[in-house]
Amino acid sequence: MFDTRPDREAEVALVGRSNVGKSTLMRELTGHSFDTGGKPGVTREPNHYDWAPEDFVITDLPGFGFMSGVHEDRREQIKTDIVHYLEEYADNILVGILVVDGKSVIDIIDRHSGPDEIPYDVEMFHFLRELDVPTVVAVNKMDKVDDKDERLNELCDRLGLLPPWKQWQETIAPITAKRGQIEPLNEAVRTHLHEQQRDDLFKFF
């Protein structure tokens, strides 16, 4: 189990498969650069970012799923560690942000959907909700998507949310982290913070 978490009460956690832009998003949120590395799975341990006077931490959990040069056993271990982390700190996590790649997410979900298989992204979305962690899906790299509404409606459908996506703006947030276009995510996160009487954390989003 990851044991690097600073002693902070409140948390916002980022999860998602490798190479969807979690570290870039983390940099946008914190203004702090992490080792984003060109190859998938560079983040093997959580990146925690906290502010000295604040009882609050933003955590970027390692990417799950395929990572080049990483053995399958190790990949499974990372996924297990992520699950354990989320279970352990579910009561502290005010918002879980599931980051997906808007360009490829539907293809990946459909490729891994079968009678015996639940795609990681879908599984993680429902897992967070089962833990009662308010969940926002940050649909990244939307600058590379042409049919935005259609793509987001399809994603809702795969996640078990009734389209159209626009009625789920506290859950589905189309962003382009690399260009700093993350306002829909910030608004969604603020909605969940407000519901938990944590407007004091708005300044981070």
Side-chain angles (χ1 to χ4, degrees), residues 30 37-38 59 85 107 118 174 205:
T30 63
T59 300
Y85 183 93
D107 292 341
I118 302 176
F205 296 97

Side-chain angles (χ1 to χ4, degrees), residues 116-143:
D116 305 318
E117 195 177 11
I118 302 176
Y120 279 158
D121 299 297
V122 176
E123 186 181 20
M124 191 59 72
F125 177 72
H126 291 293
F127 177 63
L128 285 164
R129 287 170 67 128
E130 276 163 26
L131 293 173
D132 285 329
V133 171
T135 306
V136 179
V137 183
V139 191
N140 195 20
K141 308 187 185 182
M142 285 303 287
D143 58 318

Side-chain angles (χ1 to χ4, degrees), residues 37-52:
K39 61 179 198 293
V42 166
T43 313
R44 302 277 167 87
E45 292 282 319
N47 277 320
H48 301 282
Y49 195 78
D50 58 344
W51 290 260

Side-chain angles (χ1 to χ4, degrees), residues 3 5 16-17 26 51 60 90 160 163 169 200:
D3 56 3
R5 188 182 187 273
R17 58 176 68 243
M26 189 74 171
W51 290 260
D60 171 23
Q169 290 189 44
D200 57 302

